Amino acid sequence: MIKVFIADDEEPARERLKELLGDIAAELPTSVVGEARNGLETLERLPGSGAELLLLDIQMPGMGGLEVARHLGSLPEPPTVVFVTAHDRHAVDAFELNALDYLLKPVRAERLAAALKKASVPDRERLAKAAQSAREYISVSERNRIVLVPVREIIFLRAEQKYVTLRTRNREHLIEEPLVSLEREFAASFIRIHRNCLVARAAIRGFERGADGDDEPHWVVVLDGLEEKLPVSRRQWPALRELVAEK
Amino acid sequence: MEARLQALQARIRPHFLFNSLNAVLSLIRRDPKRAERALEDLADVFRTLMSEPRQFVRLADEISLLERYAGIEQLRLGERLRITWELDTAPIDALLPPLVLQPLLENAVFHGVEPGTGAGEVLVRIERRGDRVLARIENPYVADQQRRVGNRMALENIRERLALFFDAEARIDTSADGLRYRVEIEMPYRSEGA
């Protein structure tokens, strides 16, 4: 018996999937352990539901299916995922290209059965490539729960050995994503100030001369909302100086 | 001229077709009567969309298209879609280019209701003021850059077709106040009798 969770913003679409699961039950027994009407609801409800498989609509309000799938990756035991979409040429192209499983609505019973049988946990890198835009949240797994940190609340991201520290005004979290890929994804809102550090453009209040006893003078970033000042590497300084001119 | 009209005539989003078919499929076992009605509505909507391009239709026809289209969306979105109709003084014999209002309602649903997690209020108001016809469609304003692009294309398309039919006598304006997004059309009242 596969435990299935259904995420779709349209009630008739969820009903239809349940009907189809009923139709193929003799061949493939399933039980529906939860439902959600949007992305955030999915991330709230799925972790405690015991779901092994997620039927995930791509176009949902609040947070779309692609971003949901990326956050599920931070669970200790993420469910396998089958994406469902009505017609989204861009999504379908991206899926084909990155070998992600998907079903087209209206879904046929045979196709559903086949997809459930070969479903797999989606590959993080493939998901990242299929995504059409930067995430709005970064997920942090806490026990069997997904904590979402809104990207607009992040002040800086700093690589420390194996982890990246994610700093907001009130807290810090550790995430296991390489700084380079974060830099690529959030290029519009973050800027690199040092080999190991990205800062939110919006959080930069200004620059000061570093006041320690080093031989070489250097600059530090003064942040909005945090006392801590971050060193700027000499290599990044020219790009940052231009930013100062813009401000 | 005709080729131009045809090229300009608004096309419905495939997303709408497939989601609607899916919604109808979900009804066939639970509520076959309602499924029948929904398919009839869908057939009417597509008949209009695929018909030979006409230069003008009666407002009554455009309103009935709006209602059929809304019926299908209602089925799909349920409580999330709340449409208020203010049509009491709509001059149903007025002539206008086809598919001027339906794409606006479709936009209102697509941009204003679907991206929201709660209920979205849409207003459709059509009235006559002297020798002018005024139509207004309002929806919740949702800041969503990607979706807005398609909206501008539909508006340009309608603006061009209004200009082909009414010359400079019609206008279409949009406004947003942070909470609501509004499209208003003002056009001359012309009827077949006149």
PDB file of all heavy atoms in Angstrom, chain B residues 101-127:
ATOM      1  N   LEU B 101     -14.457  41.532 -24.328  1.00  0.00           N
ATOM      2  CA  LEU B 101     -14.606  41.446 -22.869  1.00  0.00           C
ATOM      3  C   LEU B 101     -14.117  40.117 -22.294  1.00  0.00           C
ATOM      4  O   LEU B 101     -13.534  40.078 -21.222  1.00  0.00           O
ATOM      5  CB  LEU B 101     -16.072  41.684 -22.480  1.00  0.00           C
ATOM      6  CG  LEU B 101     -16.622  43.045 -22.915  1.00  0.00           C
ATOM      7  CD1 LEU B 101     -18.096  43.167 -22.536  1.00  0.00           C
ATOM      8  CD2 LEU B 101     -15.832  44.186 -22.286  1.00  0.00           C
ATOM      9  N   GLN B 102     -14.360  39.024 -23.027  1.00  0.00           N
ATOM     10  CA  GLN B 102     -13.995  37.711 -22.475  1.00  0.00           C
ATOM     11  C   GLN B 102     -12.498  37.613 -22.129  1.00  0.00           C
ATOM     12  O   GLN B 102     -12.158  37.130 -21.044  1.00  0.00           O
ATOM     13  CB  GLN B 102     -14.435  36.596 -23.429  1.00  0.00           C
ATOM     14  CG  GLN B 102     -14.243  35.196 -22.880  1.00  0.00           C
ATOM     15  CD  GLN B 102     -12.825  34.682 -23.090  1.00  0.00           C
ATOM     16  OE1 GLN B 102     -12.123  35.121 -24.007  1.00  0.00           O
ATOM     17  NE2 GLN B 102     -12.389  33.776 -22.220  1.00  0.00           N
ATOM     18  N   PRO B 103     -11.595  38.071 -23.003  1.00  0.00           N
ATOM     19  CA  PRO B 103     -10.178  37.973 -22.622  1.00  0.00           C
ATOM     20  C   PRO B 103      -9.860  38.778 -21.365  1.00  0.00           C
ATOM     21  O   PRO B 103      -8.947  38.422 -20.613  1.00  0.00           O
ATOM     22  CB  PRO B 103      -9.430  38.563 -23.830  1.00  0.00           C
ATOM     23  CG  PRO B 103     -10.392  38.485 -24.964  1.00  0.00           C
ATOM     24  CD  PRO B 103     -11.764  38.627 -24.362  1.00  0.00           C
ATOM     25  N   LEU B 104     -10.626  39.844 -21.141  1.00  0.00           N
ATOM     26  CA  LEU B 104     -10.384  40.652 -19.936  1.00  0.00           C
ATOM     27  C   LEU B 104     -10.811  39.893 -18.684  1.00  0.00           C
ATOM     28  O   LEU B 104     -10.145  39.945 -17.656  1.00  0.00           O
ATOM     29  CB  LEU B 104     -11.130  41.987 -20.021  1.00  0.00           C
ATOM     30  CG  LEU B 104     -10.672  42.912 -21.143  1.00  0.00           C
ATOM     31  CD1 LEU B 104     -11.519  44.181 -21.157  1.00  0.00           C
ATOM     32  CD2 LEU B 104      -9.189  43.261 -20.976  1.00  0.00           C
ATOM     33  N   LEU B 105     -11.924  39.179 -18.796  1.00  0.00           N
ATOM     34  CA  LEU B 105     -12.353  38.371 -17.652  1.00  0.00           C
ATOM     35  C   LEU B 105     -11.366  37.222 -17.432  1.00  0.00           C
ATOM     36  O   LEU B 105     -11.011  36.885 -16.305  1.00  0.00           O
ATOM     37  CB  LEU B 105     -13.778  37.843 -17.878  1.00  0.00           C
ATOM     38  CG  LEU B 105     -14.377  37.032 -16.726  1.00  0.00           C
ATOM     39  CD1 LEU B 105     -14.383  37.823 -15.416  1.00  0.00           C
ATOM     40  CD2 LEU B 105     -15.805  36.590 -17.053  1.00  0.00           C
ATOM     41  N   GLU B 106     -10.906  36.659 -18.537  1.00  0.00           N
ATOM     42  CA  GLU B 106      -9.925  35.583 -18.420  1.00  0.00           C
ATOM     43  C   GLU B 106      -8.648  36.088 -17.729  1.00  0.00           C
ATOM     44  O   GLU B 106      -8.088  35.425 -16.859  1.00  0.00           O
ATOM     45  CB  GLU B 106      -9.595  35.014 -19.806  1.00  0.00           C
ATOM     46  CG  GLU B 106      -8.754  33.754 -19.720  1.00  0.00           C
ATOM     47  CD  GLU B 106      -8.450  33.141 -21.073  1.00  0.00           C
ATOM     48  OE1 GLU B 106      -9.204  33.401 -22.035  1.00  0.00           O
ATOM     49  OE2 GLU B 106      -7.460  32.401 -21.167  1.00  0.00           O
ATOM     50  N   ASN B 107      -8.226  37.285 -18.119  1.00  0.00           N
ATOM     51  CA  ASN B 107      -7.067  37.892 -17.461  1.00  0.00           C
ATOM     52  C   ASN B 107      -7.317  38.107 -15.977  1.00  0.00           C
ATOM     53  O   ASN B 107      -6.436  37.892 -15.149  1.00  0.00           O
ATOM     54  CB  ASN B 107      -6.762  39.261 -18.081  1.00  0.00           C
ATOM     55  CG  ASN B 107      -5.840  39.135 -19.276  1.00  0.00           C
ATOM     56  OD1 ASN B 107      -5.195  38.116 -19.457  1.00  0.00           O
ATOM     57  ND2 ASN B 107      -5.796  40.170 -20.087  1.00  0.00           N
ATOM     58  N   ALA B 108      -8.530  38.576 -15.657  1.00  0.00           N
ATOM     59  CA  ALA B 108      -8.858  38.867 -14.256  1.00  0.00           C
ATOM     60  C   ALA B 108      -8.724  37.591 -13.420  1.00  0.00           C
ATOM     61  O   ALA B 108      -8.209  37.611 -12.302  1.00  0.00           O
ATOM     62  CB  ALA B 108     -10.270  39.433 -14.142  1.00  0.00           C
ATOM     63  N   VAL B 109      -9.172  36.473 -13.988  1.00  0.00           N
ATOM     64  CA  VAL B 109      -9.089  35.201 -13.270  1.00  0.00           C
ATOM     65  C   VAL B 109      -7.627  34.737 -13.197  1.00  0.00           C
ATOM     66  O   VAL B 109      -7.121  34.367 -12.140  1.00  0.00           O
ATOM     67  CB  VAL B 109      -9.960  34.126 -13.966  1.00  0.00           C
ATOM     68  CG1 VAL B 109      -9.736  32.757 -13.338  1.00  0.00           C
ATOM     69  CG2 VAL B 109     -11.437  34.510 -13.894  1.00  0.00           C
ATOM     70  N   PHE B 110      -6.954  34.821 -14.327  1.00  0.00           N
ATOM     71  CA  PHE B 110      -5.591  34.306 -14.427  1.00  0.00           C
ATOM     72  C   PHE B 110      -4.605  35.110 -13.573  1.00  0.00           C
ATOM     73  O   PHE B 110      -3.756  34.560 -12.893  1.00  0.00           O
ATOM     74  CB  PHE B 110      -5.167  34.322 -15.897  1.00  0.00           C
ATOM     75  CG  PHE B 110      -3.830  33.708 -16.178  1.00  0.00           C
ATOM     76  CD1 PHE B 110      -3.660  32.332 -16.156  1.00  0.00           C
ATOM     77  CD2 PHE B 110      -2.726  34.504 -16.467  1.00  0.00           C
ATOM     78  CE1 PHE B 110      -2.420  31.760 -16.421  1.00  0.00           C
ATOM     79  CE2 PHE B 110      -1.483  33.936 -16.731  1.00  0.00           C
ATOM     80  CZ  PHE B 110      -1.339  32.565 -16.708  1.00  0.00           C
ATOM     81  N   HIS B 111      -4.733  36.443 -13.633  1.00  0.00           N
ATOM     82  CA  HIS B 111      -3.774  37.288 -12.915  1.00  0.00           C
ATOM     83  C   HIS B 111      -4.222  37.627 -11.501  1.00  0.00           C
ATOM     84  O   HIS B 111      -3.405  37.899 -10.633  1.00  0.00           O
ATOM     85  CB  HIS B 111      -3.566  38.612 -13.657  1.00  0.00           C
ATOM     86  CG  HIS B 111      -2.974  38.447 -15.021  1.00  0.00           C
ATOM     87  ND1 HIS B 111      -1.661  38.098 -15.221  1.00  0.00           N
ATOM     88  CD2 HIS B 111      -3.512  38.568 -16.253  1.00  0.00           C
ATOM     89  CE1 HIS B 111      -1.421  38.022 -16.521  1.00  0.00           C
ATOM     90  NE2 HIS B 111      -2.532  38.296 -17.168  1.00  0.00           N
ATOM     91  N   GLY B 112      -5.534  37.672 -11.295  1.00  0.00           N
ATOM     92  CA  GLY B 112      -6.029  38.189 -10.022  1.00  0.00           C
ATOM     93  C   GLY B 112      -6.546  37.133  -9.059  1.00  0.00           C
ATOM     94  O   GLY B 112      -6.575  37.356  -7.857  1.00  0.00           O
ATOM     95  N   VAL B 113      -6.985  35.988  -9.571  1.00  0.00           N
ATOM     96  CA  VAL B 113      -7.599  34.999  -8.689  1.00  0.00           C
ATOM     97  C   VAL B 113      -6.704  33.760  -8.541  1.00  0.00           C
ATOM     98  O   VAL B 113      -6.406  33.334  -7.432  1.00  0.00           O
ATOM     99  CB  VAL B 113      -8.998  34.585  -9.199  1.00  0.00           C
ATOM    100  CG1 VAL B 113      -9.619  33.546  -8.272  1.00  0.00           C
ATOM    101  CG2 VAL B 113      -9.898  35.810  -9.320  1.00  0.00           C
ATOM    102  N   GLU B 114      -6.253  33.221  -9.665  1.00  0.00           N
ATOM    103  CA  GLU B 114      -5.459  31.987  -9.589  1.00  0.00           C
ATOM    104  C   GLU B 114      -4.181  32.101  -8.759  1.00  0.00           C
ATOM    105  O   GLU B 114      -3.834  31.158  -8.052  1.00  0.00           O
ATOM    106  CB  GLU B 114      -5.121  31.490 -10.998  1.00  0.00           C
ATOM    107  CG  GLU B 114      -6.296  30.798 -11.645  1.00  0.00           C
ATOM    108  CD  GLU B 114      -5.853  29.993 -12.858  1.00  0.00           C
ATOM    109  OE1 GLU B 114      -5.250  28.936 -12.652  1.00  0.00           O
ATOM    110  OE2 GLU B 114      -6.119  30.433 -13.987  1.00  0.00           O
ATOM    111  N   PRO B 115      -3.454  33.236  -8.819  1.00  0.00           N
ATOM    112  CA  PRO B 115      -2.226  33.297  -8.021  1.00  0.00           C
ATOM    113  C   PRO B 115      -2.464  33.468  -6.524  1.00  0.00           C
ATOM    114  O   PRO B 115      -1.519  33.410  -5.742  1.00  0.00           O
ATOM    115  CB  PRO B 115      -1.481  34.529  -8.568  1.00  0.00           C
ATOM    116  CG  PRO B 115      -2.210  34.937  -9.801  1.00  0.00           C
ATOM    117  CD  PRO B 115      -3.612  34.430  -9.656  1.00  0.00           C
ATOM    118  N   GLY B 116      -3.709  33.702  -6.106  1.00  0.00           N
ATOM    119  CA  GLY B 116      -3.982  33.910  -4.686  1.00  0.00           C
ATOM    120  C   GLY B 116      -4.395  32.610  -4.001  1.00  0.00           C
ATOM    121  O   GLY B 116      -4.994  31.739  -4.615  1.00  0.00           O
ATOM    122  N   THR B 117      -4.068  32.496  -2.719  1.00  0.00           N
ATOM    123  CA  THR B 117      -4.453  31.284  -2.004  1.00  0.00           C
ATOM    124  C   THR B 117      -5.864  31.403  -1.431  1.00  0.00           C
ATOM    125  O   THR B 117      -6.513  30.411  -1.148  1.00  0.00           O
ATOM    126  CB  THR B 117      -3.470  30.967  -0.856  1.00  0.00           C
ATOM    127  OG1 THR B 117      -3.276  32.159  -0.105  1.00  0.00           O
ATOM    128  CG2 THR B 117      -2.149  30.490  -1.387  1.00  0.00           C
ATOM    129  N   GLY B 118      -6.348  32.633  -1.271  1.00  0.00           N
ATOM    130  CA  GLY B 118      -7.694  32.826  -0.730  1.00  0.00           C
ATOM    131  C   GLY B 118      -8.709  33.095  -1.822  1.00  0.00           C
ATOM    132  O   GLY B 118      -8.474  32.796  -2.993  1.00  0.00           O
ATOM    133  N   ALA B 119      -9.856  33.662  -1.426  1.00  0.00           N
ATOM    134  CA  ALA B 119     -10.892  33.978  -2.392  1.00  0.00           C
ATOM    135  C   ALA B 119     -10.564  35.291  -3.096  1.00  0.00           C
ATOM    136  O   ALA B 119     -10.039  36.208  -2.487  1.00  0.00           O
ATOM    137  CB  ALA B 119     -12.242  34.074  -1.699  1.00  0.00           C
ATOM    138  N   GLY B 120     -10.878  35.371  -4.393  1.00  0.00           N
ATOM    139  CA  GLY B 120     -10.639  36.591  -5.161  1.00  0.00           C
ATOM    140  C   GLY B 120     -11.950  37.147  -5.677  1.00  0.00           C
ATOM    141  O   GLY B 120     -12.744  36.418  -6.259  1.00  0.00           O
ATOM    142  N   GLU B 121     -12.157  38.451  -5.440  1.00  0.00           N
ATOM    143  CA  GLU B 121     -13.397  39.103  -5.887  1.00  0.00           C
ATOM    144  C   GLU B 121     -13.167  39.741  -7.252  1.00  0.00           C
ATOM    145  O   GLU B 121     -12.270  40.551  -7.415  1.00  0.00           O
ATOM    146  CB  GLU B 121     -13.791  40.216  -4.910  1.00  0.00           C
ATOM    147  CG  GLU B 121     -13.823  39.808  -3.453  1.00  0.00           C
ATOM    148  CD  GLU B 121     -15.225  39.437  -2.991  1.00  0.00           C
ATOM    149  OE1 GLU B 121     -16.183  39.675  -3.774  1.00  0.00           O
ATOM    150  OE2 GLU B 121     -15.356  38.916  -1.878  1.00  0.00           O
ATOM    151  N   VAL B 122     -14.028  39.388  -8.195  1.00  0.00           N
ATOM    152  CA  VAL B 122     -13.957  39.974  -9.534  1.00  0.00           C
ATOM    153  C   VAL B 122     -15.249  40.738  -9.775  1.00  0.00           C
ATOM    154  O   VAL B 122     -16.332  40.281  -9.386  1.00  0.00           O
ATOM    155  CB  VAL B 122     -13.776  38.871 -10.603  1.00  0.00           C
ATOM    156  CG1 VAL B 122     -13.894  39.435 -12.014  1.00  0.00           C
ATOM    157  CG2 VAL B 122     -12.431  38.170 -10.422  1.00  0.00           C
ATOM    158  N   LEU B 123     -15.140  41.905 -10.370  1.00  0.00           N
ATOM    159  CA  LEU B 123     -16.327  42.692 -10.692  1.00  0.00           C
ATOM    160  C   LEU B 123     -16.451  42.818 -12.206  1.00  0.00           C
ATOM    161  O   LEU B 123     -15.470  43.103 -12.892  1.00  0.00           O
ATOM    162  CB  LEU B 123     -16.222  44.098 -10.075  1.00  0.00           C
ATOM    163  CG  LEU B 123     -17.296  45.098 -10.525  1.00  0.00           C
ATOM    164  CD1 LEU B 123     -18.631  44.806  -9.859  1.00  0.00           C
ATOM    165  CD2 LEU B 123     -16.863  46.527 -10.247  1.00  0.00           C
ATOM    166  N   VAL B 124     -17.674  42.570 -12.711  1.00  0.00           N
ATOM    167  CA  VAL B 124     -17.947  42.814 -14.133  1.00  0.00           C
ATOM    168  C   VAL B 124     -19.106  43.797 -14.199  1.00  0.00           C
ATOM    169  O   VAL B 124     -20.211  43.484 -13.756  1.00  0.00           O
ATOM    170  CB  VAL B 124     -18.350  41.513 -14.865  1.00  0.00           C
ATOM    171  CG1 VAL B 124     -18.629  41.803 -16.342  1.00  0.00           C
ATOM    172  CG2 VAL B 124     -17.275  40.446 -14.726  1.00  0.00           C
ATOM    173  N   ARG B 125     -18.840  44.993 -14.692  1.00  0.00           N
ATOM    174  CA  ARG B 125     -19.899  45.996 -14.770  1.00  0.00           C
ATOM    175  C   ARG B 125     -19.968  46.546 -16.195  1.00  0.00           C
ATOM    176  O   ARG B 125     -18.959  46.977 -16.751  1.00  0.00           O
ATOM    177  CB  ARG B 125     -19.619  47.145 -13.809  1.00  0.00           C
ATOM    178  CG  ARG B 125     -20.688  48.247 -13.882  1.00  0.00           C
ATOM    179  CD  ARG B 125     -20.230  49.509 -13.196  1.00  0.00           C
ATOM    180  NE  ARG B 125     -20.109  49.319 -11.769  1.00  0.00           N
ATOM    181  CZ  ARG B 125     -19.310  50.070 -10.994  1.00  0.00           C
ATOM    182  NH1 ARG B 125     -18.569  51.018 -11.522  1.00  0.00           N
ATOM    183  NH2 ARG B 125     -19.277  49.853  -9.703  1.00  0.00           N
ATOM    184  N   ILE B 126     -21.167  46.474 -16.784  1.00  0.00           N
ATOM    185  CA  ILE B 126     -21.353  47.038 -18.132  1.00  0.00           C
ATOM    186  C   ILE B 126     -22.571  47.943 -18.070  1.00  0.00           C
ATOM    187  O   ILE B 126     -23.632  47.541 -17.585  1.00  0.00           O
ATOM    188  CB  ILE B 126     -21.560  45.931 -19.179  1.00  0.00           C
ATOM    189  CG1 ILE B 126     -20.426  44.901 -19.101  1.00  0.00           C
ATOM    190  CG2 ILE B 126     -21.621  46.539 -20.581  1.00  0.00           C
ATOM    191  CD1 ILE B 126     -20.654  43.655 -19.948  1.00  0.00           C
ATOM    192  N   GLU B 127     -22.432  49.172 -18.523  1.00  0.00           N
ATOM    193  CA  GLU B 127     -23.563  50.103 -18.450  1.00  0.00           C
ATOM    194  C   GLU B 127     -23.561  51.043 -19.645  1.00  0.00           C
ATOM    195  O   GLU B 127     -22.557  51.205 -20.339  1.00  0.00           O
ATOM    196  CB  GLU B 127     -23.503  50.902 -17.141  1.00  0.00           C
ATOM    197  CG  GLU B 127     -22.256  51.743 -17.025  1.00  0.00           C
ATOM    198  CD  GLU B 127     -22.061  52.341 -15.634  1.00  0.00           C
ATOM    199  OE1 GLU B 127     -23.078  52.626 -14.977  1.00  0.00           O
ATOM    200  OE2 GLU B 127     -20.906  52.527 -15.228  1.00  0.00           O
TER     201      GLU B 127
END
